[in-house]
Amino acid sequence: MHDSDFEIIQRVLAGEMRAYAELVDRHKDRAMTLAMRLLKNREDAEEALQDAFVRVFKALDRFEMKASFATWFYRIVFNVCSSALGKRERAYDISIDEDNLEAALSTPPAGNPEIEFDSSEFQQLIHEEIERMAPAYSAILTLFFIQELGYEEIVDVTGLPLGTVKNRLFRARTMLRVAVMNRMSESVGAKDNGSIKQEIIQ
Amino acid sequence: MSHLTSSRIFQLLDGVLDASEKQRVSNHLETCGECRQELAVQREIARSIKHQPLVVPSPRFTDAVMRRALIYERQSAFVHFLVQHGTMLALIIGLTIIAFSLSTMEGWDTAKETIHNLQPEKKISQYYTVAGRQLTDYLQSIREKTIDVVGWENLRLFLLTAVIMLTLALFDKLVIRQFMRTRV
C-alpha cells in the first residue's frame, strides 16, 4: 500500500530526502496539466513547475499537517505559474477571452452529423476547445475537473472571489457547450445559441 | 413551462443543489425531454474533460527537481536563515538606521523633552507628529541648503535615502506582493 501525502512528507522531514521524489512523481502529471493550461507552452510550464516543486520542498517544514496538501500544493503551483504568466504577458487581458466567447456564440451551428460522445472526435473537440481557452478559464476548469477541487478550494488556490470562480467555470463550460453545439446536428442540440447567449448576458 | 437554465444543470451535475431543489429539478426532467437531452450533453462534456489525457513532463523532470532540492538541502543553516528571514532582518536594520538618523537631528532633544511633558495618552500620536515634523524640516533644510550637507550630514542624507528606498522595496516584497498576487 502506498503512503499518503502526509506520510511521505513526514518521511522527508525525518531526513529521508529520496521520499520527496515519490511526492513529485505522484503529483507531477496533474500539476503539469495545470501549468500547461496556464502558460500554454511546454517549456515554460515545466520550468515553472520545477520552481513550484522546489518551493514546496523548501516550505515542507511549514506545512500544517491538518491542512489539505492538494490545496496548499496547487496554490503554490498556481502562484508560480501566474507570476511566470505575468512576467511573460504583462498585457494579458481577460477581454481576449471575452472576444473568443462572443465569436463562438455568434457562429451559427454548423449542422454537422451527430457526434458520438464516446468518439475520439468528441474527445479531440473538447481538447481543442480547452487549449483555445484563455488561462483564466482553462485553469479553473482544470482545477475543478482534473484536480477535483471544490469551489471553496479553488478560491483558496487562486485567491479569486467565490463569485468569480463560479462565473469563470460557468463560462468555460458554456464555451465548450457552444463548441459541441456547433458540431452536433440541430436535432441533438436542446437549446439554440440565442438562449445560451441570453443566459450569459443575464 | 420554462426549461432549466444551464446554471441549474451544472449545479445538478456538481451535486451542489439542496434536497428540495434537487427534487424540483428531477420532477422537471421527468417531463422535459429537451432538458434531459441538455443534461446528457453537459454530463458527457464533463466526463470528457475528466478523461482528457494529462500532460506529462519530460522523463528527467523528477531528477531535475531532486537535484535542485539537494542543492538547497546542502546549504548551511545561516544561508537558510538569510533566505527565509533576510528581508525581515533588512527591514529591522533599515528602520533602526532611520530611527538613529532622526534622533541625531538638531532639535531632537527639545522634541523629546516636549514629548516627555505630554499627557501619557497623547504621547504616541505626538511622537509621530514630532518625528514627521523633524523629517520634513530636515528635508526642507537640505532643499534650501541651510544645513551643511558635507560630511556627516551628507552621509545621513545618503543613508536616509537608501533606507527609504530599501523600506519601500521591502514593503513591496513583504506586503504588496502578498496581497496583490498576479491574477489570471
Side-chain angles (χ1 to χ4, degrees), chain A residues 115-161:
Chain A
I115 294 173
E116 292 291 331
F117 285 132
D118 291 333
S119 72
S120 57
E121 188 189 356
F122 184 74
Q123 283 287 104
Q124 183 60 26
L125 168 66
I126 298 296
H127 178 75
E128 285 169 10
E129 286 304 315
I130 296 173
E131 290 286 299
R132 221 192 329 258
M133 276 179 199
Y137 296 115
S138 56
I140 301 287
L141 205 63
T142 305
L143 287 166
F144 189 75
F145 285 106
I146 307 291
Q147 272 77 34
E148 297 182 334
L149 302 181
Y151 297 145
E152 295 291 346
E153 288 172 310
I154 297 175
V155 165
D156 206 8
V157 166
T158 60
L160 294 168

Side-chain angles (χ1 to χ4, degrees), chain B residues 26-54:
Chain B
S26 299
N27 291 343
H28 176 82
L29 287 169
E30 278 178 21
T31 58
C32 183
E34 286 184 40
C35 286
R36 273 203 306 278
Q37 179 70 57
E38 180 63 17
L39 177 66
V41 173
Q42 291 294 359
R43 183 176 284 136
E44 288 306 322
I45 291 174
R47 193 189 60 80
S48 177
I49 300 170
K50 284 180 185 170
H51 288 90
Q52 288 292 314
L54 297 176

Side-chain angles (χ1 to χ4, degrees), chain A residues 17 25 29 32-33 42 46 50-51 78-79 85 118 123 127 151 159 168 173 177 188 190-191 199, chain B residues 4 6 10 14 34 37-38 44 47-49 52 55-58 62 64 66 68 70 72 181 184:
Chain A
M17 208 189 144
D25 282 335
D29 294 354
M32 181 69 181
T33 306
R42 194 178 174 84
E46 196 156 323
Q50 264 193 36
D51 287 346
F78 186 87
N79 284 340
L85 185 69
D118 291 333
Q123 283 287 104
H127 178 75
Y151 297 145
R168 287 188 186 179
R173 285 166 137 179
R177 177 67 183 97
V188 175
K191 294 184 173 184
E199 272 180 32
Chain B
L4 297 175
S6 298
F10 294 149
D14 299 344
E34 286 184 40
Q37 179 70 57
E38 180 63 17
E44 288 306 322
R47 193 189 60 80
S48 177
I49 300 170
Q52 288 292 314
V55 185
V56 179
S58 65
T62 305
M66 292 308 291
R68 287 177 60 181
L70 195 65
Y72 174 78
R181 290 187 303 181
V184 273

Side-chain angles (χ1 to χ4, degrees), chain A residues 62-183:
Chain A
R62 281 172 277 156
F63 172 65
E64 290 178 28
M65 293 293 176
K66 286 174 284 182
S68 156
F69 176 75
T71 310
W72 181 72
F73 168 68
Y74 285 115
R75 192 189 308 139
I76 292 173
V77 174
F78 186 87
N79 284 340
V80 172
C81 291
S82 297
S83 298
L85 185 69
K87 279 178 198 161
R88 199 180 66 185
E89 298 169 23
R90 290 277 176 218
Y92 169 73
D93 194 310
I94 202 80
S95 64
I96 295 167
D97 205 63
E98 299 290 340
D99 293 344
N100 286 346
L101 181 60
E102 284 306 311
L105 291 169
S106 60
T107 309
N112 288 343
E114 285 187 22
I115 294 173
E116 292 291 331
F117 285 132
D118 291 333
S119 72
S120 57
E121 188 189 356
F122 184 74
Q123 283 287 104
Q124 183 60 26
L125 168 66
I126 298 296
H127 178 75
E128 285 169 10
E129 286 304 315
I130 296 173
E131 290 286 299
R132 221 192 329 258
M133 276 179 199
Y137 296 115
S138 56
I140 301 287
L141 205 63
T142 305
L143 287 166
F144 189 75
F145 285 106
I146 307 291
Q147 272 77 34
E148 297 182 334
L149 302 181
Y151 297 145
E152 295 291 346
E153 288 172 310
I154 297 175
V155 165
D156 206 8
V157 166
T158 60
L160 294 168
L162 181 61
T164 307
V165 168
K166 286 183 176 176
N167 186 266
R168 287 188 186 179
L169 191 59
F170 174 79
R171 282 169 170 260
R173 285 166 137 179
T174 305
M175 284 181 232
L176 293 177
R177 177 67 183 97
V178 170
V180 170
M181 190 200 298
N182 286 341
R183 293 270 188 101

Side-chain angles (χ1 to χ4, degrees), chain B residues 74-105:
Chain B
R74 284 176 182 164
Q75 286 170 346
S76 68
F78 177 68
V79 174
H80 282 192
F81 177 81
L82 278 185
V83 169
Q84 286 181 11
H85 307 292
T87 47
M88 187 55 72
L89 196 66
L91 187 63
I92 292 167
I93 293 169
L95 292 173
T96 308
I97 294 172
I98 284 186
F100 175 73
S101 187
L102 287 172
S103 67
T104 56
M105 287 177 189

